[in-house]
Amino acid sequence: IRINDEVCNDIADFFKIFGDAGRIKNIGALVDNELCVNDMVELLNMSQSAVSHNLIIAQNDAVKFRKDGKTVYYSLDDEHVSILLKKGIEHIKHKNGYEEE
């Protein structure tokens, strides 16, 4: 497969989102859910600042948001993000012999 330079750079930038365990947890929490930061803090047992920071980094390429009054709800930008995360998990579990949960 041949990929032009612009697309290569955009893909490399996109995959940087998955380069941090905290961001992966945040993205994973949003696979089937629309959540606000407070919900994610409780669900992931992470600090509010860590959750917010991870969402800001992922926002342009993987995460979208909507406001309802003063509350901001986050969800995955589209199904492709969910598929990539699920396939990555599947690959790592297979490659490293992790037991299914």
Side-chain angles (χ1 to χ4, degrees):
I1 184 170
R2 294 184 67 126
I3 308 167
N4 72 41
D5 290 345
E6 183 179 2
V7 173
C8 281
N9 290 332
D10 288 345
I11 290 170
D13 287 342
F14 173 75
F15 277 107
K16 287 178 186 176
I17 295 166
F18 297 99
D20 176 84
R23 284 194 298 273
I24 292 171
K25 286 182 179 183
N26 281 45
I27 292 168
L30 297 173
V31 166
D32 295 316
N33 305 294
E34 180 184 61
L35 300 168
C36 67
V37 170
N38 290 337
D39 292 339
M40 294 180 76
V41 165
E42 189 174 320
L43 178 68
L44 301 172
N45 196 30
M46 295 173 71
S47 71
Q48 185 272 334
S49 62
V51 169
S52 294
H53 178 73
N54 289 332
L55 289 170
I56 288 168
I57 290 172
Q59 193 167 298
N60 292 331
D61 291 318
V63 174
K64 62 183 178 182
F65 68 92
R66 70 172 181 87
K67 292 184 178 184
D68 184 9
K70 292 184 178 184
T71 305
V72 179
Y73 291 94
Y74 295 88
S75 59
L76 294 183
D77 189 50
D78 62 37
E79 183 182 350
H80 298 111
V81 178
S82 175
I83 291 168
L84 286 169
L85 179 60
K86 288 176 181 178
K87 287 297 182 183
I89 292 167
E90 184 181 315
H91 172 71
I92 292 300
K93 284 182 174 181
H94 170 77
K95 180 179 177 190
N96 295 339
Y98 293 127
E99 295 292 322
E100 288 298 317
E101 296 176 10

